[in-house]
Amino acid sequence: MSTQQGSEIFSAIVAAPFGAMGIRTEGERLRELVYLPSHYAEKAPVDAAAERTAVQLARYFADADFRFDLALVELGSAFQRRVWDMIASIPRGSVRTYGQLAKLLESHPRAIGQACGANWFPLVIPCHRVTAAGGLGGFANHDDENGFHLGVKRWLLRHEGALATDMPWQQQSIFP
């Protein structure tokens, strides 16, 4: 990886199988995780919270069953936190649709999608496990079918062993 302008906002940048992950901390808590393309240079953690996060990310990339245990800055509206709590309960290897979560939360699929897009802690709160009823859906506020972010979502679902039987569409349609 080579140096990328903008990396100074991160407390650490770690390599990931799909590129890199930017880590931002605030005090002793994780403030944000960001999916980054591979041209971002790795950056050593600047504090203990960034170091803990980097170690746990590496463990997740090596073992999809790893469970994160990180102190998070409290962010988001009450509704977003309810959605994120629901997302955090989706088991590894499974997916739920925006519509399924909307029914459980007595809301609307679009509101669920917006809460997913506002997730400051992807992987820790695994919004990649939320899909559209007829396909992969968007990811991290992006919906370009061949773009970087949906490529990350595909990698994460493969890594976690999501099976076609858990999805309401055919696996080959989302995993080119």
Side-chain angles (χ1 to χ4, degrees), residues 28 36 44 49 53 55 58 66 72 120 122 126 129 148 153:
E28 290 299 310
L36 300 171
T53 304
V55 167
F66 176 77
L72 308 176
W120 293 89
R129 297 178 187 162
F148 169 74
K153 186 172 186 173

Side-chain angles (χ1 to χ4, degrees), residues 3-39:
T3 303
Q4 172 71 31
Q5 186 174 0
S7 63
E8 66 277 356
I9 69 168
F10 297 109
S11 305
I13 298 175
V14 298
F18 46 76
M21 291 292 300
I23 299 167
R24 290 182 60 209
T25 58
E26 187 174 298
E28 290 299 310
R29 296 177 179 270
L30 177 62
R31 171 75 169 82
E32 181 180 19
L33 288 173
V34 179
Y35 297 113
L36 300 171
S38 61
H39 60 282

Side-chain angles (χ1 to χ4, degrees), residues 87-105:
I87 291 168
S89 73
I90 301 170
R92 182 207 47 83
S94 297
V95 297
R96 300 292 180 270
T97 66
Y98 301 107
Q100 288 171 324
L101 295 181
K103 276 186 182 179
L104 292 170
L105 293 168

Side-chain angles (χ1 to χ4, degrees), residues 54-127:
V55 167
Q56 290 193 28
L57 286 170
R59 291 187 64 195
Y60 169 79
F61 294 139
D63 177 9
D65 285 324
F66 176 77
R67 292 186 183 260
F68 290 95
D69 181 23
L70 297 166
L72 308 176
V73 171
E74 189 171 314
L75 297 169
S77 68
F79 174 76
Q80 288 170 333
R81 288 192 302 270
R82 285 180 42 227
V83 172
W84 298 339
D85 287 345
M86 183 74 60
I87 291 168
S89 73
I90 301 170
R92 182 207 47 83
S94 297
V95 297
R96 300 292 180 270
T97 66
Y98 301 107
Q100 288 171 324
L101 295 181
K103 276 186 182 179
L104 292 170
L105 293 168
E106 298 178 354
S107 184
H108 300 280
R110 184 176 300 259
I112 301 301
Q114 289 171 338
C116 287
N119 178 8
W120 293 89
F121 312 107
L123 298 182
V124 177
I125 299 171
C127 54

Side-chain angles (χ1 to χ4, degrees), residues 154-172:
R154 287 182 184 95
W155 187 91
L156 293 169
L157 290 172
R158 280 188 193 114
H159 178 59
E160 294 185 350
L163 303 173
T165 57
D166 294 330
M167 299 178 197
W169 61 90
Q170 294 299 312
Q171 190 170 9
Q172 62 269 18

